[in-house]
Amino acid sequence: TQAERALRDSEERIKQLLSLMPAAVYTCDSDGRITFYNRRAAQLWGRAPRLGVDDERFCGSFRLWRADGSPLARDQSPMAIAVRDGRSARDMETVIEQPSGARVIVSVNVDPLYDPDGRRSGAINVFEDITQRKQAEDKAAKLQDDLAHLNRVGMLSALSGALAHEINQPLAAVGHNVEVAL
C-alpha cells in the first residue's frame, strides 16, 4: 500500500541520514543483537560486525574497557543496560579496543527504544571519539602539575634564600666582633 511504501521510504531516509552522520550510531533489538550501524561505528570498532547474530550482542567492539582501565563485559555495557533495564546513559566514557589492539576513548549516549505498545524493543547508541580531547586534557593536567611543582620549588628556593640571609646576618656580626676582639 501507499502508507507502507511511505514508511519504507521514511525508514530509508533515516538510515541514509544516520549513515552520513560524523558520530557513530548503532541500534540493537530487544535481545541485544545489532540491527543497524553506520560507517563511523564500524571505523571506531575497527571492524564491521554481523547484523542480527547472538555472538555479537550489545556492541560491535572487539573488547570494551571502563574509563578506569578495568574490563567491561558486553552484557554490562551501557547498551546492554539500556536494552535490559531501560536506563539511558549520557556522556559515559568507554574505551573500545579494536582487533588491531588500538584503543579509542568514546563518549557514549544510549537510549532505550520502545514499540508502539510501550514495550522495550531495543536501544540506540550514539557515540563519538574523544581520544584526542582526553589526550589533550591529560597533557594540560600534567603541564599544570609541572607548573605547580615549579612554583612550589621556586617558593622554596626564595624561602631558603631569605632564611640563609637571616642566618648569615647575625653570624656576620658575630664574626666581625670576634675579629675586632682579636
Side-chain angles (χ1 to χ4, degrees):
T1 68
Q2 190 173 359
E4 289 171 338
R5 193 169 347 128
L7 179 60
R8 276 194 309 275
D9 289 347
S10 177
E11 287 174 351
E12 285 305 312
R13 282 193 298 277
I14 289 172
K15 283 183 178 180
Q16 183 179 13
L17 172 68
L18 293 175
S19 292
L20 294 173
M21 287 181 62
V25 179
Y26 75 103
T27 59
C28 287
D29 65 16
S30 60
D31 292 321
R33 292 182 297 254
I34 298 171
T35 56
F36 169 83
Y37 62 89
N38 69 358
R39 173 190 51 79
R40 185 65 176 141
Q43 286 174 341
L44 293 179
W45 290 329
R47 61 187 288 275
R50 294 174 295 146
L51 296 178
V53 297
D54 284 333
D55 61 341
E56 297 196 35
R57 292 176 62 216
F58 304 117
C59 183
S61 174
F62 181 65
R63 285 193 187 103
L64 293 173
W65 305 88
R66 290 182 176 86
D68 67 6
S70 62
L72 177 62
R74 287 178 188 238
D75 65 350
Q76 296 301 312
S77 69
M79 181 61 110
I81 291 168
V83 168
R84 189 178 48 245
D85 303 336
R87 289 189 305 187
S88 297
R90 291 288 176 269
D91 301 319
M92 178 178 275
E93 289 182 15
T94 303
V95 179
I96 293 172
E97 183 176 330
Q98 299 175 341
S100 68
R103 291 189 177 185
V104 179
I105 304 168
V106 295
S107 177
V108 173
N109 292 279
V110 181
D111 272 335
L113 297 172
Y114 296 91
D115 67 17
D117 296 324
R119 292 183 301 256
R120 259 192 316 280
S121 60
I124 185 168
N125 189 339
V126 179
F127 59 106
E128 65 178 316
D129 182 353
I130 60 168
T131 306
Q132 288 181 339
R133 186 184 89 203
K134 294 301 289 179
Q135 289 170 343
E137 288 173 0
D138 290 347
K139 285 180 183 177
K142 179 165 178 8
L143 181 59
Q144 273 188 321
D145 288 345
D146 291 348
L147 290 173
H149 174 72
L150 289 175
N151 188 34
R152 284 191 305 274
V153 169
M155 295 290 280
L156 289 174
S157 178
L159 179 61
S160 65
L163 286 172
H165 176 74
E166 291 301 320
I167 290 170
N168 283 333
Q169 282 293 60
L171 289 177
V174 169
H176 177 65
N177 290 337
V178 169
E179 190 177 296
V180 170
L182 292 174

